[in-house]
Amino acid sequence: MGAEGQAALRERPGADLLLLEEFDVREARLGLAGDMGKTAHAAYALELCDRLCPPRHAEPAVFDWLREFLLRLEAGRASAERLRVFELGLLGRLGLSPALDRCAVCGRSDLGEENTRWHPEQGGVLCASCARRGDILSATTRQVLARLSRMSLDDAEAASLDRDTNAGCRRAILGLVRTHIAGPLRSLDFIEKMGGDR
Ligand SMILES: [Zn+2]
């Protein structure tokens, strides 16, 4: 789980998956294996990268982001705050950042304390004039999401979200992720079963 190294891959005619011919482990990330919460977060982060990145396309910024996430996860504890910052940073690096500081339709940015609607398929939050239906995103959740999306993984170590705010952010981010991938995320079930921070 999460071992980092140099892989030699070979294309196979007509097959989607590349054949792994060789793998030299540089860093084994053994610290991830002994803790089920950490294993679950690592599995989720890896699955998100796998599902969101276009196939056979080098994504150095995503690789560095994932690598830092796994290093911090290995050294610390499995924290929901780090996971939220990772999700939003990953989406940003893939050009999939949602509009959070302004309405995705009319562009109005004085959203203040009003409740917005969450329409990830339309690019993010929509103001009350542009959407009367859809999931409500409270001003607090919207502002926290905007703050998290600007954080580094180092900032995330000191961040603290209450349970409800984290749950609101988590739901919104998953809604966004699901507009970009087809089918279920298998690692999510794993995190649910682990309980704890997710
Ligand atoms: Zn609007």
Side-chain angles (χ1 to χ4, degrees):
M1 163 63 66
E4 187 181 325
Q6 182 93 30
L9 300 161
R10 186 157 57 88
E11 301 230 24
R12 291 176 298 170
D16 280 347
L17 291 174
L18 298 173
L19 186 71
L20 179 64
E21 292 200 313
E22 218 179 278
F23 188 74
D24 279 336
V25 174
R26 264 201 307 256
E27 291 177 54
R29 303 264 181 284
L30 295 175
L32 294 173
D35 176 317
M36 291 306 267
K38 290 189 189 188
T39 307
H41 278 211
Y44 173 64
L46 289 163
E47 187 176 13
L48 270 191
C49 290
D50 179 41
R51 302 285 294 278
L52 286 170
C53 290
R56 303 188 189 194
H57 194 268
E59 298 282 357
V62 168
F63 181 83
D64 290 346
W65 187 244
L66 174 65
R67 184 171 191 276
E68 186 183 350
F69 173 81
L70 293 173
L71 281 169
R72 289 180 179 279
L73 178 61
E74 189 181 18
R77 62 179 190 87
S79 95
E81 291 81 2
R82 187 195 299 113
L83 203 53
R84 299 291 86 80
V85 170
F86 173 78
E87 292 167 321
L88 288 163
L90 174 64
L91 290 161
R93 279 159 182 75
L94 291 167
L96 305 173
S97 284
L100 293 164
D101 291 323
R102 58 183 170 74
C103 170
V105 169
C106 70
R108 189 158 71 75
S109 59
D110 58 341
L111 299 171
E113 295 305 309
E114 76 183 49
N115 285 335
T116 49
R117 303 276 180 173
W118 185 235
H119 283 274
E121 72 294 346
Q122 291 195 61
V125 297
L126 266 59
C127 73
S129 327
C130 291
R132 300 195 189 284
R133 291 193 193 149
D135 290 341
I136 289 179
L137 195 72
S138 73
T140 307
T141 310
R142 182 180 65 74
Q143 288 158 2
V144 171
L145 280 170
R147 199 154 45 81
L148 292 172
S149 70
R150 289 189 286 265
M151 279 188 190
S152 66
L153 287 165
D154 191 36
D155 296 334
E157 300 297 323
S160 171
L161 298 177
D162 65 62
R163 203 180 175 80
D164 286 350
T165 307
N166 176 54
C169 291
R170 182 172 184 269
R171 205 172 319 118
I173 293 169
L174 274 181
L176 175 59
V177 165
R178 289 202 164 105
T179 63
H180 296 293
I181 59 166
L185 277 160
R186 284 178 295 276
S187 58
L188 267 188
D189 291 343
F190 187 30
I191 294 190
E192 311 260 328
K193 283 183 191 129
M194 289 303 105
D197 277 331
R198 58 191 176 95

